[in-house]
Amino acid sequence: MNGPVIPFSFAPELHLFLAAERSAARTPVVTDGVSTLGHVVESLGVPLTEVGRFVVDGTEVSASHIPGAGESIEVYGVERPQQVPGAPLRFLLDVHLGTLARRLRLLGVDATYTNEDPGDAALAALSAKEQRVLLSRDRGLLRRREIWAGAFIYSDRPDDQLRDVLERFAPTLAPWTRCTACNGPLADADKESVREQLEHGTQRTYDVFAQCTSCGRVYWRGAHHSRLEAIVEKALRDSAT
């Protein structure tokens, strides 16, 4: 590009996406005089899903603004909790976020996920069709124009991933109401109605059950329950603060 050189300033949380030399308080960027602000920022490595505001010389502008000579541009991250207009808050997770998907479902959050990768185009199309926020660590996927809304997952640790999503979007939590396997709603189940799906030891030991109304999976408070309960209780505490 051989257009005007424009100083850009990026919020600290966006430095992750920038080359080291772009992280200065005011970094000069050579533009071509015709590309939009959104295009320029994405070309520097920052997904627009992570941008909250563009400010040019003190005035907020849209991503369609074309930067011009003499301007000074500030790029801010999303405000938290982030407001997602339109459909009820629902998520779509890519193939690498299976643990996060199960934990969101454990908390009663609508989270679609498949352990087979359908490809970027299919994920973006599903995000648009069902108006779901696409969660991913793939910057290229989040740059696809057809996605309805998206968010970059900053950590590769499930605990941190869950905390980040809950802080960013503040979804309504309803623990123990969704199937962690398929995302379907759970309903109380009579022991007799699910007896054939239980091992003899489980039949003798437990009396309270729930069953997924979509896939039929049966749930009870087994040996793993204390670990799951700890996840739920921490999420509820964090959400209340």
Side-chain angles (χ1 to χ4, degrees):
M1 291 188 286
N2 55 5
V5 179
I6 300 174
F8 275 69
S9 296
F10 290 88
E13 62 266 31
L14 300 178
H15 290 179
L16 167 70
F17 305 105
L18 300 167
E21 64 271 16
R22 299 291 190 190
S23 299
R26 286 167 60 87
T27 182
V29 176
V30 180
T31 65
D32 60 9
V34 296
S35 294
T36 65
L37 184 52
H39 177 81
V40 173
V41 168
E42 281 197 324
S43 72
L44 297 175
V46 180
L48 291 186
T49 59
E50 305 313 296
V51 175
R53 293 186 298 139
F54 299 101
V55 176
V56 176
D57 296 331
T59 300
E60 187 169 342
V61 300
S62 71
S64 62
H65 174 81
I66 298 177
E71 294 182 340
S72 180
I73 297 174
E74 298 169 279
V75 185
Y76 293 89
V78 295
E79 295 184 3
R80 298 189 175 206
Q82 181 179 351
Q83 300 299 312
V84 180
L89 185 59
R90 301 182 295 182
F91 296 100
L92 169 64
L93 291 80
D94 74 18
V95 69
H96 303 291
L97 297 175
T99 299
L100 175 59
R102 289 188 291 273
R103 292 190 178 190
L104 288 171
R105 293 169 178 176
L106 176 67
L107 296 171
V109 178
D110 190 338
T112 292
Y113 164 83
T114 174
N115 57 13
E116 295 182 1
D117 188 358
D120 288 2
L123 283 170
L126 184 59
S127 167
K129 178 182 178 182
E130 298 189 359
Q131 294 190 330
R132 291 181 177 272
V133 180
L134 178 57
L135 305 180
S136 178
R137 286 178 52 78
D138 183 340
R139 304 179 198 182
L141 172 57
L142 293 174
R143 291 180 62 178
R144 297 189 73 98
R145 291 290 180 264
E146 61 269 37
I147 68 172
W148 180 69
F152 183 78
I153 299 300
Y154 287 78
S155 175
D156 58 2
R157 299 181 65 252
D159 288 348
D160 296 335
Q161 291 174 349
L162 180 62
R163 184 183 309 110
D164 185 34
V165 172
L166 297 183
E167 288 178 354
R168 177 164 175 170
F169 294 101
T172 299
L173 304 185
W176 319 108
T177 61
R178 284 191 179 273
C179 177
T180 57
C182 81
N183 198 43
L186 298 182
D188 293 339
D190 179 81
K191 185 174 183 178
E192 290 304 315
S193 67
V194 298
R195 183 177 295 276
E196 292 185 358
Q197 299 183 50
L198 307 176
E199 295 182 358
H200 292 302
T202 302
Q203 293 180 22
R204 292 193 305 269
T205 308
Y206 301 98
D207 295 306
V208 179
F209 299 91
Q211 186 171 29
C212 177
T213 59
S214 295
C215 73
R217 181 168 177 169
V218 179
Y219 291 85
W220 62 93
R221 298 190 175 191
H224 60 290
H225 183 77
S226 60
R227 178 178 62 84
L228 300 179
E229 192 167 38
I231 294 173
V232 168
E233 289 180 353
K234 185 177 188 310
L236 292 174
R237 287 196 305 272
D238 292 346
S239 297
T241 59

